[in-house]
Amino acid sequence: MSGAFGGDPAVKAALLDRLRAHVADDTLRFGATAWDGRGGTPLGVSTRGGDSADYADRFGYPLALAGLLDPMTAYAGPDRAVDAALAWVERVPAGADLSPVPERIVDLLLGEMAADRLAVSCRAELGQLYRAEASGTPPARRDWAELRRRIERAAEVEPPSSDARVALTACATACWPLTTSSSVLPTLIAVWLKDASRVPDPEFGEAVRERAHGMLDQIYRETQPLRDAGEAVDIPARFRARAPALAAAYEAQLARANARYIDRARSVPDMVLAHLAAVG
């Protein structure tokens, strides 16, 4: 296929018309890929099935990008999901070469997780495999597997939740051939979103965190016999009753962490769409 939409503006226009018709009929949904014969997610309604390889073949998007369509629109949130689904098509000129976009998204995410600084050699080797893949002489699958195993072993010796371990884990997650994987980008984005929970919270220091976790562990152990007997145990309520101030501080930091995660998730569509628009 000669670039996006096979270089044919009519193919792009027909796809947009299909999406807009589902928007008008309120049959465009967001979340896990779906098509029920009447409506579904953007990938589902675009292919009337939901196969990302079929989408790639029909519309000239790299497979790695096709697999990102439904996750991207799901992250957009209900007020922006329709606009994101339409922009995914609108911003790409017919005939555009989208092949560099998956690696550019990977580069951005690995940079966000400090792989260029904390996993220098692994990041360099991963880049070599990507360049070989783009050159038309793709590495053997064993080359990807061997590098991934070495990165995973390096990650295992780093302290849990450390910056270095996160950087190495991100590299291992990205260590798949982009031309044949439809899940590498959604999986790497999920790692980046999870990393939002590691952002330091100055209002909830490490000493307070240890006290809170220690008390929760104690309550969990104490109530094990009740749970073994099939009784419902409200551990948060017991925590609040035993240490109201500590429980309130713990719940407040959970709310802040959730807000950070949501903010980062909501940024995913803009990030992806900016890379798509840049090829035009």
Side-chain angles (χ1 to χ4, degrees):
M1 177 171 281
S2 180
F5 314 110
D8 186 349
V11 173
K12 173 179 175 176
L15 178 57
L16 275 173
D17 287 345
R18 182 180 300 178
L19 289 168
R20 288 169 178 152
H22 281 283
V23 172
D25 292 342
D26 198 26
T27 54
L28 186 64
R29 304 190 297 271
F30 302 97
T33 298
W35 169 251
D36 62 11
R38 181 172 175 270
T41 55
L43 180 63
V45 304
S46 297
T47 60
R48 291 178 178 161
D51 184 347
S52 53
D54 184 22
Y55 190 99
D57 288 342
R58 291 192 193 195
F59 304 117
Y61 283 57
L63 180 61
L65 278 182
L68 185 56
L69 172 54
D70 282 347
M72 181 203 75
T73 53
Y75 286 132
D79 58 332
R80 297 187 58 214
V82 167
D83 289 342
L86 296 175
W88 170 274
V89 179
E90 291 169 337
R91 295 190 186 184
V92 177
D97 178 10
L98 297 176
S99 60
V101 175
E103 186 177 350
R104 291 172 185 171
I105 294 173
V106 169
D107 286 343
L108 175 64
L109 293 169
L110 292 182
E112 288 281 324
M113 290 181 277
D116 294 332
R117 179 170 56 86
L118 299 175
V120 176
S121 62
C122 295
R123 178 69 186 93
E125 289 187 72
L126 180 58
Q128 290 172 1
L129 291 183
Y130 283 150
R131 286 190 293 275
E133 184 181 31
S135 73
T137 55
R141 293 194 71 86
R142 66 175 176 275
D143 295 332
W144 296 96
E146 288 171 2
L147 176 58
R148 190 164 54 253
R149 282 194 293 269
R150 283 194 284 112
I151 298 173
E152 289 169 346
R153 286 197 295 269
E156 288 171 358
V157 302
E158 298 292 342
S161 298
S162 66
D163 291 346
R165 189 161 188 163
V166 168
L168 288 163
T169 298
C171 286
T173 302
C175 193
W176 295 89
L178 293 174
T179 57
T180 58
S181 173
S182 62
S183 62
V184 61
L185 291 181
T187 306
L188 184 59
I189 286 172
V191 171
W192 177 62
L193 294 178
K194 182 179 178 182
D195 188 47
S197 66
R198 295 190 323 112
V199 174
D201 188 337
E203 299 180 54
F204 195 75
E206 191 57 35
V208 180
R209 182 184 303 276
E210 290 180 2
R211 284 176 53 215
H213 287 174
M215 185 161 292
L216 284 167
D217 288 343
Q218 181 181 353
I219 295 171
Y220 193 83
R221 289 193 302 272
E222 291 172 355
T223 58
Q224 185 68 55
L226 296 175
R227 287 181 284 108
D228 288 343
E231 292 190 33
V233 177
D234 189 339
I235 290 178
R238 289 172 182 255
F239 188 16
R240 295 184 201 108
R242 187 171 300 185
L246 183 59
Y250 180 77
E251 290 175 356
Q253 69 85 26
L254 280 181
R256 290 190 294 271
N258 288 337
R260 288 195 302 272
Y261 178 93
I262 291 170
D263 286 345
R264 187 171 288 194
R266 295 291 186 260
S267 75
V268 169
D270 287 338
M271 173 187 70
V272 173
L273 294 171
H275 281 286
L276 288 177
V279 302

